Every structure is written in structure tokens, then in C-alpha cells.
Amino acid sequence: MDAIFEATIQLLTRPGAENLTTTRVAERAGVSVGTLYQYFPNKQALIYALNERYLVALTEKIEATCRAQEGESAKNMLKALIDTYWQAKTERPEVTRALYRSVADLDNTALIETFAQRVDAATTAMFSSASDVDFANLAEVNLTLVTVIFGTVRNAFERGLDTDEADRLHGQLLLMCEAYLVCIGERINHAGGQSGGQD
């Protein structure tokens, strides 16, 4: 299976990826077409499985980071989350770009929903344990942060940013999200101060 998936990735990242076929994947993987068909009845099933494998691995990295950050400051949590997602996407940038393109004609709604549910559960649990802030609406804050982080990284790949541009964007993303946390914290403190003054 590893050989089949790696062969698929290699073909997806080469010119002419739109001409990828199960026969070519089998040849590159060193297996017979019949063997490949035992696992994947067609090219679409193969690409779907490849994306599923990628998303599961990404999810597990995020979940591990969130567990490791429990009880830390919200700022530290935020940096760890951004760094983990950014690194996972940039380890093999050509693969990330190829996978984004490969799902254009697939219905991968179920994969995205499963990914989102697991990530939301992990990040919500992490932020709920922050040592320095209690979020008034944690679900809203979590959704905002995750959407901004993931959307920014995807847009960076769609724009084809070079390494220097991507590094600068990485820094700006962290700065922007930190400013959001400060704003949220100030709103919480302000609301608490108003409440105390009225009592």
C-alpha cells in the first residue's frame, strides 16, 4: 500500500498529472494492475484513499500538538497549532499542491467533515484548558482561529508563494491571531469589569 500511494504521489507531482492512470501507478509501484485493483477499483477510489490517508495523518499531528499544549498559555497554544499545521503542509509542498488539485473532481465532503470534527474537538479541548484566559464563547473563537489558520495556509499554496514570502506570511498569520486573542481577552476583561461595577 505504501508503494502504491507513493507512486500515486510521484505521478501527481509530475507534469501531465491529469493523465494519471491505474496502469501507470501499478508500473511505478512495481505491482500488477490486478493487485492494485484488489484495493482500488478505479483511479478515483485511489485518489480518494490517498487524500483520506493524508488527512488522517494531518489530523493525528494536530491532535498530538493539542494534547501536548493542554494547560499552556493561549499564545503558546496558538503558536504550536500554527507551526504544526504549517510544517505539515510544507514538508512536501509539491504533494500538498497536487492533493489540492486532485480533489477538484471528487466528492470528498465526508473526508473534510471527519477532519473538521476531529480537529475542532482537539483544538476546543486545548483552548478550554488555557492557563491565562477563559473564553466567553469558545466555539466561536475556535472556529475563527481554525478557519483563519487553515484558510491562510491553503491560499499560500494556491498563490504559489516562494519560501521567503511564505515565511513572512507565517509570521504575519501568528501576529494577526495573537492580536485577535488579545482583543478577545480585553473584551472578556471589560465585560467582567462592567459586571463588577454594577454589583
Side-chain angles (χ1 to χ4, degrees):
M1 292 293 287
D2 287 342
I4 290 172
F5 283 131
E6 184 59 32
T8 304
I9 288 172
Q10 290 176 10
L11 291 170
L12 281 174
T13 56
R14 298 177 67 180
E18 65 278 3
N19 298 319
L20 181 146
T21 65
T22 51
T23 300
R24 289 177 179 171
V25 171
E27 289 174 353
R28 179 166 286 271
V31 301
S32 69
V33 175
T35 297
L36 189 146
Y37 282 146
Q38 289 178 4
Y39 299 102
F40 310 108
N42 51 51
K43 180 176 74 172
Q44 289 72 25
L46 173 59
I47 292 177
Y48 187 92
L50 177 62
N51 276 277
E52 181 177 33
R53 178 184 173 105
Y54 178 83
L55 283 175
V56 168
L58 177 58
T59 302
E60 291 173 349
K61 289 177 181 179
I62 293 171
E63 288 174 336
T65 291
C66 290
R67 287 192 299 270
Q69 288 294 314
E70 287 185 4
E72 294 289 335
S73 68
K75 182 176 179 179
N76 286 349
M77 292 175 175
L78 182 62
K79 184 178 187 308
L81 178 60
I82 291 175
D83 288 349
T84 296
Y85 191 73
W86 199 283
Q87 182 177 357
K89 290 288 186 175
T90 57
E91 282 176 342
R92 297 179 69 183
E94 73 285 357
V95 174
T96 299
R97 292 189 188 95
L99 289 175
Y100 279 146
R101 291 192 301 266
S102 72
V103 297
D105 298 324
L106 292 181
D107 181 7
N108 66 336
T109 303
L111 294 182
I112 297 301
E113 287 179 350
T114 299
F115 170 76
Q117 289 169 2
R118 287 181 61 179
V119 167
D120 285 348
T123 52
T124 299
M126 177 182 70
F127 284 123
S128 70
S129 74
S131 62
D132 56 346
V133 62
D134 291 319
F135 297 102
N137 190 335
L138 178 56
E140 181 178 285
V141 171
N142 186 74
L143 178 62
T144 300
L145 289 172
V146 170
T147 301
V148 168
I149 293 168
F150 293 2
T152 300
V153 176
R154 174 156 189 161
N155 188 255
F157 278 96
E158 290 176 344
R159 287 174 175 267
L161 300 183
D162 63 33
T163 302
D164 289 341
E165 290 174 323
D167 286 345
R168 288 196 296 272
L169 179 60
H170 183 179
Q172 292 298 309
L173 173 61
L174 178 59
L175 182 63
M176 179 172 62
C177 291
E178 286 177 348
Y180 173 68
L181 283 182
V182 170
C183 179
I184 292 297
E186 289 176 349
R187 285 173 55 191
I188 292 171
N189 291 336
H190 180 65
Q194 284 186 330
S195 174
Q198 291 170 351
D199 290 343

